[in-house]
Each structure stands twice: as structure tokens, then as C-alpha cells.
Amino acid sequence: MNNSKKRSFIMTMITFILMISVTALRPVHADDDDGPEYTISKLNINCQIEKNGAVRLTRTVTYNFDDDADGLTYQQELPKTNSPYHVEKVEIADNNAKLKPIPQNDSGNNNTYTIIPDAWNKNFLIKTYHAVDCDNNVTIRYVFTMNNAVTNYADAARLNYKVIGNDTDVTQKNVHIKFNFGQKNLTPFKTWIHCDAFHTQNVSAKDGTLSLAIKKLPANKYVEADILFPKSVTAQNSNVKNSKIIKKTIAQENKITRERELSFFLNYCLLPLVIIGYAALRFLIVRRKAQKARVLKVGEIPHNFDIPTMPVGMANALLKERGTIFNDKGIDKFNAFTGELLQLHNEGKIEIESLDDDYRITLKDSSIINGKFSKNEDIYSLLFYVIGDGQQFTLNQLKDAVMEDKHRAKDVSKALDNWFNEYLETVKRWYTIPVADKISDNNQNYLIMTLLILLGYVNRKDWDLKIVLIALICLATVLLFLFAYRHNTNFNAEGLKKYIRIAGFQKMLHDTSDFKNSQLGDLILWKDILPYAAGLGLAPKVLKRLHQDFSDAEFVSTFGPNNSFYYDDQDGKDFYGQVHSTFSDASNRASNGSSSSGGFGSSGGFGGGSGDGAF
């Protein structure tokens, strides 16, 4: 992974983390009205099944207030319209003191409560007037009875009750629910609990009890109990039906179970499976199509002393396709272009002359002009016909042009990109496997898209812990597969062979202390080697070694006095350094002058509209 891709990858991860942090840290209010903010830290509910089919509820709730409040409310939905009910008492206490009963009246005075039925007699509201100071806690207990809660059928009695309704706007913690049937050894005794939160339950037909514990129940989520038990428990019940209910209820609950399992799969499993499956499929396609399961490491690449037969730009593009074997020697298009200028000089297509503090480059063969581009878009047309006089240009002319004219700097930078991209496209066309190469090229966009999908997935589920964990597992899996791409090559057989040869040649130049002159022949061979050394950014290192083995007289004798650009090793002042710095300055000027822009199922039990609140 080259430096630009590393930076882009890091920025992508930082952006994703910031998006998560901003969303996760958004303020959460206790309710969506203008009432006081509070939490519910404890909820105990005891349901006593009476002989007449009524349910006697003892409901104890502990509030923790972050604001001042005037009182508390509880709304209870009835089993049927006009079902009889009776509120026995309301008890209240501040800050864990002993609960004390308060009177019922319509005065609205502090420490009183009133009962308000709705217009359709489907529910009733208990409104308790009790002033609460900020940062205090209040415990309130409601004791009331609802008739018609249980229905006696021919084969069993049934209680289908949302013991906690979905009308509470805050999370309820430490919830404990218990059903007492007043009789032991219950037969039949079948129970189903519908709860959209992790819970534990204890069912004992022998003791005639059913208990339920929930550590945290999200806001506006209900807890429903569908229970079949012996008719003898409610022997005095007047709410009777002659039909049988056991098989019907079992079938209904089995259907609900299947629907819930499907809903769970669609909501929690489908997207993660698609993400992980697609990531694995992409990886397997690359593994199967690629010629090699991994790129060879530095130690596995043999030294290659054969001078490459391809252009310097092509050699650089070949290495860039999968990265060089040296982490500190990334592919640099400025170095690559310097090497190509030397190579064109060797081929007689241009002539490079050393001047006093400057270099002159003369066009000898116009075939190097790329007719696919305009004069301002083709690097050689731009250098010779726009910056130069049609025949030649000097490095000082080029420096002046890019430093004095920002638009010219942009032209130079774009033309150089066009030049190198032509080689990259040729490498992809000739030496890579298209399908695997396309997948690898899209890794970054694929990661960004995956991050956005997972963020939306987590946000849609209100940052539920299990959702966050599922998303993190998906992200870790995708990152694992993307990391594995670094060890894969998308070269075809010919491409892999050429890659190993070029990498081996690069390794030979890099390990200058390992070669002997006898292996490389006379100094004259370095005339053909130096363009590649320059293109790979190794010219200074190679020249230093050559100057240790050869005298200045030998250099002049071999290359001539006007060809010092071959062997001048003055840092920053030599031909290699000046070409690199000039094009680098043009690129920096161009980039500084521009900007970019980015771009579950219920069994139908009553009580769903019940819930606690405050005012």
C-alpha cells in the first residue's frame, strides 16, 4: 500500500470513528415532551390471579429525577372496553424512605391522586400529585385489580396480558415480574413470554409461579405474557367460552415464533451475512484468479543483474501495481520521469547537455510526442513546444515557468500524471488479470461504502449493544480480507515473471554492497543501468558506490566531459535532483492552488397502551 493510499485509508477510518463518536455522544432525553427528565431504576410487578378471573397488580416503580417535577402518572389499558377495575391504594416515598399511602381525591393537592378514565373506557390514568426536587428519587406503589383479565375455555384458562405496555418513554432498569396462581401442581401450564430484551425466566408448575427478570428494557418496548393454566385456578370466573384454546394458542405462538425468527434474521443477520459473504467472495475471486497467492518477500526475490528491456516508466508502473519490495522505496513518478529522460538520451531521441548551473534538453526524435493529448496535456509537447522554443528547453526555463505561473504548474503536473497513467494502464492491460485487478482497485471505495452501511445499520437500531458488536464483527472481517489483499498479486503469468525480474533488479541496485564489478562488466554498462537507478530513486546510492570503484578520469573517459549528468553525485545539484525538485515544485504549486470537495410479534394481549410517566 503506497503512501497516498495509506493516508486515504487512515482518513477514512478517522472519519468513520468521528461519525460514530458524534452520533454516540448525542444527548438523550428522558422523554420527547417538555416534562421533567427522569430515569426508572427499578420496577417490580406482582400479578396475583384471583378465583374470579381478575388480576390483582402490585406495581412498584422507582424514579430518579434530573429536574423538579410536580407528580407521576401511570396509565393502564383494560382487558376489555368497560372492564371493571378497582384501585385499592397508592403509596409513595422519597429517597428510599418507607412507603406511605396517600388519599384519592380531585383536589390536585400535593400527595393526593386522582383516577381519570378515558372517553372510551378502554383505559384509566392514575395521576399522582407529589412535588419532587431535582436529583431526588421517588418510589411509588400502585395496587389495583382488573376484572375480565382471564378467560376460561373448555380445556384451559388463558391470561394474555402485556404486563408492561409500550407507552413508557424511558429505559426501565432492574425489572422483576412475578405471576402467582394461588395453586400448586398446575396442569396444563404453558407459558410464552414476548420481550424485545434479554431476560431470564423461571417457570414452576409445581409451585404455581412464573417469574421474569430484565436488566434493561428499552423505551417503548412491551413485555407480554401468554399463559395457559388449569381452569380450577379461576373456578369462579364469569368470563367463559365453550371453545378449546390449547391447540389454537400453541399454533398461534408457533407462528409468532417463526415470524420473530424471520424478523430477527432480517434485522440482525441478513445484512452482516451479506457483508461478510461478499467480502469473502471478493477475496476468493482474487485468490483463484491470481497467479500467486502472495507477493514474494524481499528475501525471496533473487538478485537480477540483467538490464530490463522495458521503458523506465513501465518498470515503475509494474512495481507500483503491487508496491515495491522495499517499504522505504515507494514509486515516485518524478524519479521515473528523470530515468526516462536519461533513457531517451541513450536512445538518441533527446540530447541532454550539462551547462553552468543548468541542463539543456534538445528534441531529436518527435516520435516521443503522444498524439492522444493536446500540447498542454502531453508532457513532451508541453516541455518542448510550450515551455521551450520547439526544439529545446532548459531546466531553469521549466523552473521559472512553474514558479511564476500557477496555471502552467497545473499543466505540467497534469501532463506528468497523463504520462505515468499511460504506463499504469498498459501494465493493467498487458500484465494483470482484469477481474482480480478491478476488485483490488475498488477496495478503498468498497471499505468506505461498507463503513457507511454499517453506520446506518447501527444508527437505525439506536446503538443497541448487540447491534454495535455485530457491526464491529462485520467491519473486522472486511478489514481482515482487505488486509489479505496486500499479500496477493493480480498479475497474470507474464506479469508476475516481469515483476520478479524488475523487483530483483531493484534489489540488486538497492544492495550496492553485494555486487561486484565483475558481475556487472565495465563502467560503460552503467550508462544503461543509471536510467533505472534514477527511475527507482536509487541514483544517489548507486553513484556513491560507483565513485568508490571508479576515478573521475574513468568517468570522463567513458561518458565524456559534457555528460556529467550521468555521474555527478552532488546532492540536490545533480541532474537527478534538479529534475525531481522541479517537477515536485510544479505538483505542489498545482495542488496548493486547487481545492477538492467530497462528497416483533404479539399474541394480541391487552395492556399494550400502559406505561409510567411524570409531569
Side-chain angles (χ1 to χ4, degrees):
M1 186 182 292
N2 58 35
N3 290 334
S4 63
K5 286 188 176 181
K6 283 183 180 178
R7 286 194 296 268
S8 180
F9 176 79
I10 292 172
M11 288 304 299
T12 300
M13 294 304 298
I14 291 174
T15 301
F16 179 66
I17 292 170
L18 288 176
M19 291 169 70
I20 289 179
S21 302
V22 169
T23 308
L25 295 176
R26 61 188 175 184
V28 178
H29 299 285
D31 59 279
D32 52 8
D33 298 317
D34 294 328
E37 292 192 6
Y38 62 90
T39 58
I40 293 179
S41 60
K42 187 182 294 185
L43 173 60
N44 289 323
I45 302 174
N46 187 282
C47 303
Q48 180 65 48
I49 312 303
E50 304 289 341
K51 284 287 185 180
N52 64 354
V55 174
R56 183 174 184 267
L57 272 294
T58 301
R59 181 185 185 91
T60 307
V61 191
T62 299
Y63 291 80
N64 296 87
F65 281 92
D66 296 325
D67 291 323
D68 293 342
D70 296 322
L72 312 170
T73 62
Y74 175 68
Q75 179 171 276
Q76 175 62 57
E77 184 178 311
L78 296 170
K80 299 178 181 179
T81 301
N82 290 316
S83 286
Y85 64 90
H86 172 62
V87 178
E88 297 180 27
K89 60 182 176 179
V90 174
E91 299 174 316
I92 200 163
D94 293 315
N95 300 319
N96 304 314
K98 184 178 179 181
L99 289 165
K100 294 182 179 180
I102 57 175
Q104 174 191 354
N105 58 58
D106 297 329
S107 66
N109 294 333
N110 196 49
N111 288 327
T112 65
Y113 73 93
T114 185
I115 301 171
I116 307 172
D118 79 334
W120 299 274
N121 292 319
K122 291 183 178 180
N123 58 51
F124 66 89
L125 175 72
I126 303 175
K127 189 172 184 178
T128 303
Y129 297 91
H130 182 78
V132 185
D133 293 332
C134 178
D135 296 327
N136 283 353
N137 69 69
V138 176
T139 300
I140 188 168
R141 176 177 292 160
Y142 307 97
V143 181
F144 58 93
T145 302
M146 295 183 295
N147 289 356
N148 298 326
V150 177
T151 302
N152 280 23
Y153 291 86
D155 52 351
R158 185 188 190 191
L159 173 63
N160 194 11
Y161 173 37
K162 289 186 177 70
V163 62
I164 296 178
N166 54 9
D167 207 29
T168 299
D169 295 328
V170 299
T171 298
Q172 300 171 86
K173 299 180 180 179
N174 301 310
V175 178
H176 296 274
I177 303 169
K178 187 173 183 180
F179 291 87
N180 294 295
F181 296 87
Q183 169 177 324
K184 297 185 178 182
N185 299 315
L186 300 178
T187 303
F189 190 47
K190 297 182 181 297
T191 64
W192 296 269
I193 301 297
H194 304 151
C195 176
D196 202 11
F198 178 78
H199 62 278
T200 58
Q201 65 186 62
N202 183 22
V203 181
S204 176
K206 181 179 179 181
D207 296 331
T209 59
L210 166 63
S211 59
L212 189 70
I214 308 169
K215 190 172 184 180
K216 183 190 295 185
L217 182 67
N220 304 116
K221 299 295 184 181
Y222 62 80
V223 178
E224 183 178 50
D226 194 359
I227 310 171
L228 297 177
F229 51 91
K231 292 188 295 180
S232 59
V233 173
T234 52
Q236 301 171 11
N237 190 5
S238 60
N239 185 18
V240 177
K241 292 185 178 182
N242 294 326
S243 57
K244 293 186 177 182
I245 193 63
I246 293 179
K247 288 185 178 181
K248 183 178 179 179
T249 302
I250 292 174
Q252 179 188 21
E253 291 295 341
N254 287 340
K255 180 181 178 182
I256 291 173
T257 298
R258 291 192 297 269
E259 290 173 348
R260 288 176 65 90
E261 289 173 349
L262 177 61
S263 177
F264 179 84
F265 175 79
L266 294 176
N267 281 279
Y268 297 99
C269 303
L270 181 60
L271 181 63
L273 287 175
V274 169
I275 289 176
I276 293 174
Y278 182 59
L281 179 63
R282 296 170 87 252
F283 175 73
L284 291 174
I285 290 174
V286 173
R287 281 292 293 264
R288 181 175 180 181
K289 294 289 185 180
Q291 289 292 315
K292 201 76 170 177
R294 59 180 174 78
V295 174
L296 298 177
K297 297 180 181 179
V298 175
E300 298 172 304
I301 296 286
H303 283 141
N304 177 26
F305 297 93
D306 295 329
I307 301 174
T309 57
M310 63 177 60
V312 174
M314 179 77 80
N316 277 262
L318 197 67
L319 291 177
K320 185 177 178 63
E321 171 65 22
R322 290 303 298 173
T324 70
I325 57 175
F326 301 101
N327 294 330
D328 61 333
K329 295 295 177 187
I331 298 304
D332 186 322
K333 61 187 175 186
F334 311 128
N335 285 331
F337 188 68
T338 305
E340 179 153 300
L341 290 177
L342 288 174
Q343 194 170 49
L344 292 175
H345 173 82
N346 290 345
E347 295 171 355
K349 295 180 179 180
I350 64 172
E351 181 181 3
I352 304 173
E353 297 175 87
S354 303
L355 307 176
D356 292 337
D357 297 324
D358 198 3
Y359 294 92
R360 180 170 57 220
I361 304 173
T362 303
L363 180 63
K364 296 293 185 180
D365 185 347
S366 60
S367 67
I368 66 173
I369 305 299
N370 191 336
K372 289 177 58 177
F373 302 103
S374 67
K375 283 187 177 181
N376 284 358
E377 293 177 330
D378 172 58
I379 189 64
Y380 293 113
S381 296
L382 181 63
L383 292 176
F384 288 109
Y385 296 134
V386 179
I387 294 174
D389 60 6
Q391 288 296 321
Q392 59 188 20
F393 73 94
T394 67
L395 288 188
N396 284 340
Q397 279 182 298
L398 178 59
K399 289 178 185 177
D400 292 342
V402 300
M403 297 308 294
E404 294 173 4
D405 187 344
K406 187 174 293 185
H407 294 290
R408 184 65 67 222
K410 289 182 180 180
D411 289 340
V412 171
S413 179
K414 181 179 179 181
L416 190 65
D417 285 339
N418 290 338
W419 166 81
F420 193 58
N421 287 337
E422 283 274 290
Y423 282 121
L424 290 175
E425 290 174 6
T426 301
V427 166
K428 289 182 181 295
R429 187 166 60 252
W430 290 358
Y431 301 127
T432 65
I433 299 167
V435 173
D437 201 56
K438 185 175 182 180
I439 288 176
S440 296
D441 282 348
N442 289 330
N443 277 342
Q444 181 177 316
N445 292 335
Y446 167 65
L447 176 60
I448 293 173
M449 185 60 65
T450 301
L451 294 177
L452 292 176
I453 291 173
L454 288 175
L455 183 62
Y457 171 70
V458 171
N459 200 44
R460 185 170 62 90
K461 299 296 183 181
D462 295 326
W463 294 85
D464 184 276
L465 179 58
K466 60 177 174 285
I467 293 296
V468 173
L469 290 176
I470 290 172
L472 290 175
I473 291 172
C474 290
L475 180 59
T477 304
V478 170
L479 289 175
L480 179 64
F481 282 122
L482 290 182
F483 179 80
Y485 282 117
R486 297 180 60 194
H487 301 285
N488 276 69
T489 171
N490 300 329
F491 290 124
N492 56 30
E494 182 65 19
L496 183 62
K497 186 163 77 172
K498 288 187 179 295
Y499 171 82
I500 292 175
R501 286 180 179 176
I502 294 297
F505 190 75
Q506 180 192 27
K507 182 179 180 181
M508 181 276 294
L509 295 178
H510 184 273
D511 300 338
T512 55
S513 60
D514 292 342
F515 65 71
K516 300 177 182 179
N517 290 334
S518 59
Q519 293 175 305
L520 296 168
D522 297 330
L523 182 59
I524 190 64
L525 288 179
W526 285 97
K527 180 180 179 180
D528 295 325
I529 293 174
L530 281 173
Y532 294 97
L536 297 171
L538 296 169
K541 186 173 186 178
V542 170
L543 286 171
K544 183 177 180 180
R545 171 59 198 275
L546 291 179
H547 277 279
Q548 293 174 356
D549 293 344
F550 300 97
S551 66
D552 291 343
E554 288 177 295
F555 278 111
V556 173
S557 173
T558 302
F559 299 116
N562 293 326
N563 292 325
S564 61
F565 52 85
Y566 276 121
Y567 52 85
D568 192 343
D569 64 346
Q570 301 176 52
D571 290 340
K573 296 181 181 180
D574 55 85
F575 179 74
Y576 313 100
Q578 289 199 41
V579 175
H580 186 283
S581 64
T582 301
F583 280 95
S584 179
D585 289 343
S587 179
N588 290 334
R589 287 269 292 167
S591 60
N592 289 338
S594 62
S595 61
S596 60
S597 58
F600 292 94
S602 167
S603 56
F606 72 91
S610 308
D612 296 282
F615 63 95

